[in-house]
Amino acid sequence: MSRSGARASGVTGPRHRADGGRTDWRRFALAATGALVLAGAMIATTTAAAVPVSFAVAGSPFAVTAHRLEAKGVTQFASFRQETSGRRHAVAAVGLEEAALYGLCQSAVARTPLGTATLRIRSGDHRPVKASSLALDLSSIRGDMRFHAVEMGHDAATLRGGARGASGTYGQRADALTIRHMEIDAWALTAGLFTLGDATMDVRAGEQPCA
């Protein structure tokens, strides 16, 4: 994750020519900003309780980093997610009843015939991102983790807390979880409520994910 406190404004990177035309990264940024405004500072969804997630996932995971995550009502089990092409990915399905993330950065890399671009969304350090009924499909997770009241070996269909899985699948739960210096790669995220404070967004040419 970038440690810079500077607020992203505008778009960096050159304009690219292809087939005699020109890709205007500023126009692309304005379009993406419009999508963010439509989402709003509070994003309400109806699919958070539907774990496993039912929609087809994109062909590559996106990155999320945070200085610290604090969560209550944590469940985890193994599952699969599928692309529209039919390709399947093994995931760690994680459900969180309540979560707060400090110093959040989310990035997604888009590879197009005209080149690669990275969309990044950040939230300030002092106002945490808050989420309820949060469901994540993870391909990897890194950080310093502390679990409180852990229970392992549950049937995933009987889990209490954030989410349940298929009957017969190994599952585990914890009353609370703290992760410092969190880095995750995720295939999907849904939430009943997702609130970002002091959020900023930028689009940059090239592959520049959160680090």
Side-chain angles (χ1 to χ4, degrees):
M1 174 180 294
S2 173
R3 300 293 186 237
S4 173
R7 189 182 298 269
S9 59
V11 179
T12 63
R15 297 178 178 182
H16 297 271
R17 293 183 178 272
D19 300 328
R22 183 168 59 186
T23 300
D24 191 330
W25 289 109
R26 296 183 183 277
R27 182 172 296 176
F28 183 80
L30 287 173
T33 302
L36 183 67
V37 170
L38 287 176
M42 290 189 177
I43 307 170
T45 73
T46 59
T47 59
V51 178
V53 176
S54 59
F55 55 78
V57 298
S60 59
F62 57 90
V64 180
T65 65
H67 297 160
R68 185 172 83 256
L69 174 143
E70 297 176 353
K72 297 180 180 179
V74 181
T75 59
Q76 187 272 321
F77 53 90
S79 188
F80 287 90
R81 296 297 170 260
Q82 186 167 304
E83 301 176 26
T84 52
S85 65
R87 183 183 179 189
R88 298 204 308 168
H89 304 277
V91 301
V94 177
L96 309 173
E97 288 184 319
E98 302 289 340
L101 300 98
Y102 296 82
L104 175 75
C105 178
Q106 185 268 328
S107 62
V109 177
R111 293 177 176 84
T112 76
L114 299 179
T116 301
T118 304
L119 170 66
R120 299 196 303 188
I121 299 174
R122 300 174 183 271
S123 188
D125 291 339
H126 303 297
R127 296 177 60 190
V129 172
K130 294 185 178 181
S132 62
S133 300
L134 181 65
L136 292 157
D137 290 336
L138 307 182
S139 62
S140 67
I141 181 168
R142 299 166 294 280
D144 302 324
M145 307 178 200
R146 174 175 291 183
F147 294 86
H148 177 68
V150 181
E151 300 173 2
M152 298 184 180
H154 278 275
D155 186 302
T158 68
L159 290 170
R160 296 180 292 108
R164 293 186 180 94
S167 178
T169 303
Y170 171 89
Q172 58 191 45
R173 70 168 304 278
D175 285 349
L177 167 66
T178 300
I179 306 177
R180 296 182 181 277
H181 313 299
M182 185 188 78
E183 300 178 14
I184 65 175
D185 294 316
W187 290 102
L189 179 155
T190 62
L193 188 67
F194 202 76
T195 306
L196 296 91
D198 193 26
T200 61
M201 188 203 71
D202 64 10
V203 180
R204 301 188 178 192
E207 188 169 345
Q208 302 186 50
C210 299

